[in-house]
């Protein structure tokens, strides 16, 4: 198994493996990170970790606005989620 730090690199690896006749996922599993929209548009759909970047951005913007208005803020945790597809 190979885990990449982001989906674009994982997509490049999928292409290189296919070019060299290495079967995914029967010979090697590939996982990316970010769960970008193109992950489902690939010939072999990419397994990816969804880091919930839109939810994170929304919570950060909300917290920033509260801080600017000197309102009380609280910490938060966002749990990433494995989205399993054809590449693993």
């Amino acid at each position: 198994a190979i885990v990449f730090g982001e989906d674009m690199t994982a997509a490049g690896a999928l292409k290189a493996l296919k070019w060299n006749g290495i079967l995914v996922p029967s010979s090697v599993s590939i996982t990316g990170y970010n769960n970008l929209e193109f992950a489902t548009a690939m010939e072999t759909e990419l397994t990816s970790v969804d880091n919930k970047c839109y939810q994170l951005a929304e919570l950060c913007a909300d917290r920033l606005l509260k801080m600017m208005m000197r309102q009380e803020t609280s910490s938060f945790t966002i749990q990433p989620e494995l989205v399993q597809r054809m590449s693993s």
Side-chain angles (χ1 to χ4, degrees):
I2 306 172
V3 178
F4 291 88
E6 49 96 26
D7 287 347
M8 293 295 285
T9 308
L14 277 172
K15 186 175 182 179
L17 290 167
K18 182 179 178 182
W19 180 265
N20 288 289
I22 299 171
L23 301 174
V24 175
S26 56
S27 296
V28 65
S29 295
I30 300 290
T31 300
Y33 191 86
N34 290 336
N35 196 32
L36 298 177
E37 291 179 12
F38 77 86
T40 59
M42 301 173 62
E43 184 177 338
T44 302
E45 291 185 2
L46 180 63
T47 295
S48 186
V49 176
D50 186 346
N51 61 354
K52 316 243 186 210
C53 63
Y54 294 112
Q55 182 182 6
L56 177 61
E58 185 177 311
L59 288 169
C60 287
D62 181 61
R63 186 169 186 183
L64 179 59
L65 288 172
K66 285 181 178 178
M67 291 171 71
M68 291 169 61
M69 294 186 296
R70 302 198 190 285
Q71 294 178 358
E72 188 174 322
T73 62
S74 60
S75 62
F76 57 86
T77 303
I78 297 176
Q79 201 67 24
E81 176 184 352
L82 179 65
V83 180
Q84 194 160 0
R85 298 190 182 99
M86 295 167 47
S87 70
S88 66

